Every structure is written in C-alpha cells, then in structure tokens.
Amino acid sequence: MDRDARMNRPFGLLAELTYRCPLACAYCSNPLELAAYNDEMSTAEWQRVFTEAAQMGVLQCHLSGGEPMLRRDLVDLVRTAAELGMYTNLVTSAIGLSRSRAEGLKEAGLDHVQISVQADEPVTSDRIAGIPSFERKLEAAAVVKDLGWPLTINVVLHRQNIDRVAEIIALVEELDADRIELANTQYYGWAWRNRTALLPSREQLAVAEEIVRAAREHLAGRMEVVHVLPDYYSEYPKPCMGGWAARQLTVAPNGDALPCPAAQTLPLPRASVREDSLERIWDGSPMFTAFRGTSWMKDPCRTCDRRELDFGGCRCQAFQLTGDAARTDPVCHLSPDHAIVAEVVEAANAGTRRDEEALVPRPHRG
Amino acid sequence: MPNDGAAADPAATPRPTPPAVPPSGHPALSRHVRMRFDRTRERYVLLGPESVIVLNPTGADILGLCDGQRTVSDVAAELQGRYDRVVDDEVATFLARLVANRCVEIDDGP
C-alpha cells in the first residue's frame, strides 16, 4: 500500500448490526424500508468485516443498530473487535443491558457505552420511545458506571423535548455521565418523515443554546458537553462525516457498505461486503468515490473558499431536497436552492403551530 | 440508532479554553484513553470515546513519559536530554490541549 493510500484510510467503522429495535422513536435515522435489511450478516461475516477494517487502518468500531443488544452474538463480536485493537463503542437504547450481559461485554473488552435518553422524565421519554423504557435506561446507566466504563448519554433534541434541556442536563449530571451529546435531530429516515413535527422554532433553539452554554461552563472538567445544532438554522452546512468517504464508513445489517448511514438513499450502485472486500470497496467502488474530494463539485461550492471546510455539506440532504446529490447542500445560504430550507424554517416559526403534533413512529421491528 | 449526530461536526462545539498546566503537576493518560501504535499510519494514536488523535513523534514521546509519577518539569527535562532544543513550552502547551480534551489528567498533589 503506498503512503497516500495509507494516510487516506478510514478511522471509524459504524457497524449497524441490526435494524431491529425495541423502541419506536419517530426521529430514528434508520432507513424507511426496514424489511430490506432482514437478511442480517452472520457472526462470521461480521468478524471478517472487522478483521478487514482493522487491517486497513480502522481504529474505532461503533456497534450500533437498531438495537445491537438484540444480537445474541454481541459478546463475540465485541471480543473480535477488541482483540483486533480497535476501540469499541456500544451505541444502545440500554434495553437488554442487564448487569449480567454488561459483565459479559466488559470481560470481552468493550471500551465505552453510549445510552440514548429521550427526555428527563418517564412520561415524555416513554411516549417518544414508544415503550416504557425510561427507568430501565437509568438502571443500565448506573450499571455502566459501576463497571467502570466511560458513559455517554445521547439525547436527540427536537420540538417536543428541547424546552426541557435544562432538566435533561440535570438528569445526566445525576447519572454521573462523562459525556453528554445534545444532538438536534438530523432529518434522515424516519426523522425526515416526521420533520414538521420535530423541527424546533428559532426561539426554542435560542433558549436552549443559552442553557447549554451555561451548563458547559458549570460542568467544565467534569462532563464533556457536545451540542449539535440543527443545520436547517445554520448559515453554512455541516462538514458531513468530515468529507464523503474520508474518515468513516458504515456497514448496514445486510452487508451494504456506505460512506454514511443515510447513503443508501442515493442513486449509486450498491457495494456489499458480502461480494467484495472492504478495502476494494473503500478505494474503488462508485459508492465511495462518487463524491470523494472536491472535483465533483458544481458552483457555488466549486469556487468557494469553504469547500475544504464543509465539503459542500451533506450529499444525502442535497439529494433529498433537490433530487441531485451533486448540488450544494440547500441549508447553505449560498445555495441556489436555499429557499427550500428557508420555507421549512419559516413554517416551523409560524405562530399558529402547536408543539406536540402527531409523530409517525418507526415500527418496533424491521 | 440513532440519529446521534455522527454526521455532524463535533468540532463545531466550542472547546473550553485550555487550562494552565502546573510544572509540578503529575500528568497521566485519562483512564478511558488508550495509546497504541497504528501500523497503517505509522504513528502513535490516542483512542477515546468518539475521538482519535494521531500523534506526531514528539507528542508520542511526551505521552510516553506521562506515567503519573514524573512531573511536567521532569518530562520536559527528560526530553531536553533527548533533543537539542528547549521544550518546556511545547510540553505544557501540548498537555494543556489534551487536558482540555480530557485525554490527560494532571494530579496536582505532591
């Protein structure tokens, strides 16, 4: 492998082990066509993928889903990833994370646990999650701390819980988490379907931002506070995934290899780890090379000073909103399509809007 | 999962200002952070929850000495023995950044 190839290898693998999930969150970024992913890869197939990933330079393995705890072979998969020297991260709803299963994962070498929480109290949390789950999450968080893992609590923020951000932070402080991710919803998959009911108003965001800023100061040195702002309200787009097929890759439950979890929506030929090696897919498949670098860009990105900073934003969002994945992400105020986003934002700020509009839950199981 | 902001840019989150590093403090890697050699990039790397830091050779040398026993001054003195130039500031600046990222902890005790 020459030096250029070695320096351009991915750092992280997002292993979406299954799209089955006991929760039914309406902001889920999993694909709408969940049934297309029922043919999940076997233990041996995942182990081969992890081995290939480690050999090509992947250093972190995020075990996610759906709910990864539903994989009965999770302990074996963690053990393989850990033995390969990768830093292993479990991304879970915490349903199924009993003390005995947690001990098994710890023994297998799991490095870090991220638990999702939907709100600061059971009524809203269970309504958003679709099943009674709040208390079990708190219990699991205590087990994670008790076994000596670093704990991240992830909270997806949206119109129906963002007003509780102070109480949410207080809860997470009580759980003694090491990190909190307050991530405003990104509109892919089921969140896209529920966008109108989820997108907060400008005022909600401004209030939340002030609360998070104060909390960050108050928690400095004790808890890392990550705040992901909604790109619909940003002047410039997010530097999605640190650039297309630059730093991360995703493998879906059925073996589809993707530059990001939403990329299955794009009209590009499938690349599957069941048919080819991860390295060949990363280096040469159209799925991975289509938007790598900057040569695919059109104006205004092509000549923009920020093209190496935000890489034109999100390809999936550009496709979703304009039908052309090579256009500038319409959240950018320089995009010729920016009116599409501006209209949605305006609607979210209309005075007549109720805060708790009905959500379409994703089905519990794929 | 999800929707956990992985697509977004965590770097956009403002980092707290790096704290001053006391010369008498004892630096060590945080419990949750691992340092290992990465054969692909031929560099030492720091791995933590949701973060990878690729170290340059000097950085790897500095962290190799941060064992919780040596003080910041000890680390700088040892490196001065290895290299010709003065590295006091370099050590303090480097460690301050890692303290801000919670990759390094500094025990201020004697």
Side-chain angles (χ1 to χ4, degrees):
Chain A
M1 204 194 317
D2 68 28
R3 189 177 158 77
D4 275 359
R6 276 192 284 115
M7 298 319 262
N8 290 309
R9 286 297 160 84
F11 289 96
L13 167 68
L14 176 64
E16 297 189 317
L17 300 177
T18 178
Y19 285 148
R20 289 172 287 140
C21 187
L23 304 195
C25 309
Y27 56 69
C28 184
S29 58
N30 282 169
L32 296 173
E33 306 77 24
L34 290 168
Y37 298 87
N38 285 346
D39 181 19
E40 291 178 8
M41 287 206 289
S42 67
T43 310
E45 284 176 305
W46 276 112
Q47 287 171 326
R48 196 203 86 218
V49 170
F50 290 176
T51 305
E52 290 181 3
Q55 278 168 357
M56 66 189 280
V58 168
L59 299 168
Q60 283 192 310
C61 183
H62 308 285
L63 300 146
S64 181
E67 175 48 65
M69 295 300 302
L70 290 175
R71 287 283 302 211
R72 279 192 244 170
D73 54 2
L74 187 62
V75 168
D76 293 332
L77 295 179
V78 166
R79 194 185 311 282
T80 299
E83 282 173 359
L84 289 163
M86 291 190 283
Y87 190 97
T88 51
N89 173 24
L90 177 67
V91 182
T92 179
S93 69
I95 306 305
L97 189 60
S98 63
R99 177 170 283 270
S100 65
R101 283 205 83 192
E103 284 169 349
L105 292 167
K106 183 80 184 169
E107 186 272 325
L110 182 67
D111 288 304
H112 169 234
V113 180
Q114 174 183 312
I115 294 178
S116 66
V117 169
Q118 280 65 27
D120 63 297
E121 44 79 32
V123 175
T124 311
S125 185
D126 295 350
R127 177 174 66 79
I128 293 169
I131 58 163
S133 51
F134 183 75
E135 295 300 338
R136 282 192 274 174
K137 285 166 182 281
L138 303 196
E139 285 162 22
V143 170
V144 167
K145 288 301 292 185
D146 198 37
L147 293 184
W149 270 308
L151 170 66
T152 294
I153 298 288
N154 173 274
V155 189
V156 176
L157 295 179
H158 48 78
R159 195 175 183 94
Q160 306 196 7
N161 69 358
I162 193 167
D163 298 334
R164 305 280 300 175
V165 72
E167 291 83 355
I168 289 170
I169 294 169
L171 168 75
V172 175
E173 195 179 349
E174 219 171 284
L175 295 175
D176 197 21
D178 301 271
R179 297 176 72 247
I180 177 171
E181 292 181 357
L182 297 160
N184 273 278
T185 309
Q186 306 201 47
Y187 297 100
Y188 308 105
W190 296 86
W192 167 248
R193 173 165 289 188
N194 285 296
R195 186 180 62 177
T196 309
L198 292 172
L199 187 65
S201 70
R202 190 172 280 112
E203 193 190 339
Q204 284 183 300
L205 284 168
V207 172
E209 201 164 353
E210 186 51 37
I211 291 168
V212 174
R213 195 197 54 72
R216 184 176 283 126
E217 231 163 74
H218 154 73
L219 294 165
R222 281 189 293 146
M223 191 196 296
E224 184 186 349
V225 180
V226 179
H227 191 199
V228 179
L229 298 168
D231 56 358
Y232 274 51
Y233 282 92
S234 306
E235 196 177 357
Y236 295 105
K238 64 191 174 223
C240 201
M241 306 306 290
W244 185 264
R247 301 176 61 85
Q248 312 279 335
L249 79 166
T250 297
V251 175
N254 65 348
D256 283 0
L258 301 162
C260 79
Q264 88 287 342
T265 56
L266 298 185
L268 290 169
R270 277 183 66 211
S272 171
V273 296
R274 281 174 155 164
E275 287 151 25
D276 211 342
S277 78
L278 206 53
E279 184 168 320
R280 275 197 300 273
I281 290 172
W282 175 265
D283 286 341
S285 70
M287 176 61 85
F288 281 76
T289 58
F291 303 111
R292 188 174 271 154
T294 54
S295 58
W296 55 271
M297 288 179 177
K298 303 177 183 181
D299 283 326
C301 291
R302 198 172 56 84
T303 52
C304 182
D305 288 345
R306 296 179 54 89
R307 66 185 178 280
E308 303 274 3
L309 293 178
D310 56 33
F311 316 104
C314 172
R315 296 305 86 225
C316 303
Q317 189 152 271
F319 178 72
Q320 194 175 53
L321 295 174
T322 74
D324 179 357
R327 288 181 78 79
T328 298
D329 186 335
V331 305
C332 182
H333 74 295
L334 301 170
S335 157
D337 306 306
H338 185 61
I340 298 171
V341 170
E343 257 172 53
V344 175
V345 166
E346 199 180 318
N349 288 282
T352 51
R353 289 281 311 280
R354 291 171 50 242
D355 278 347
E356 291 202 3
E357 292 172 18
L359 295 165
V360 180
R362 65 155 271 176
H364 288 286
R365 300 206 163 225
Chain B
M1 83 173 166
N3 216 326
D4 75 341
D9 176 23
T13 299
R15 298 267 171 207
T17 320
V21 170
S24 59
H26 302 76
L29 277 186
S30 298
R31 197 160 55 90
H32 303 318
V33 172
R34 232 177 29 229
M35 181 159 113
R36 58 163 271 215
F37 190 70
D38 170 21
R39 284 196 306 257
T40 301
R41 296 166 188 88
E42 296 177 345
R43 286 278 189 270
Y44 278 91
V45 291
L46 281 187
L47 304 178
E50 314 284 343
S51 76
V52 177
I53 296 173
V54 180
L55 297 166
N56 64 27
T58 313
D61 278 353
I62 294 172
L63 287 178
L65 295 170
C66 292
D67 54 4
Q69 304 295 314
R70 292 179 175 85
T71 63
V72 174
S73 303
D74 294 340
V75 171
E78 281 215 38
L79 286 178
Q80 273 164 20
R82 287 187 209 175
Y83 302 112
D84 287 341
R85 55 211 168 75
V86 177
V87 290
D88 279 18
D89 279 0
E90 207 179 330
V91 170
T93 310
F94 175 76
L95 290 177
R97 268 205 319 269
L98 291 177
V99 169
N101 288 343
R102 295 169 51 93
C103 291
V104 165
E105 285 164 7
I106 298 194
D107 182 356
D108 231 349

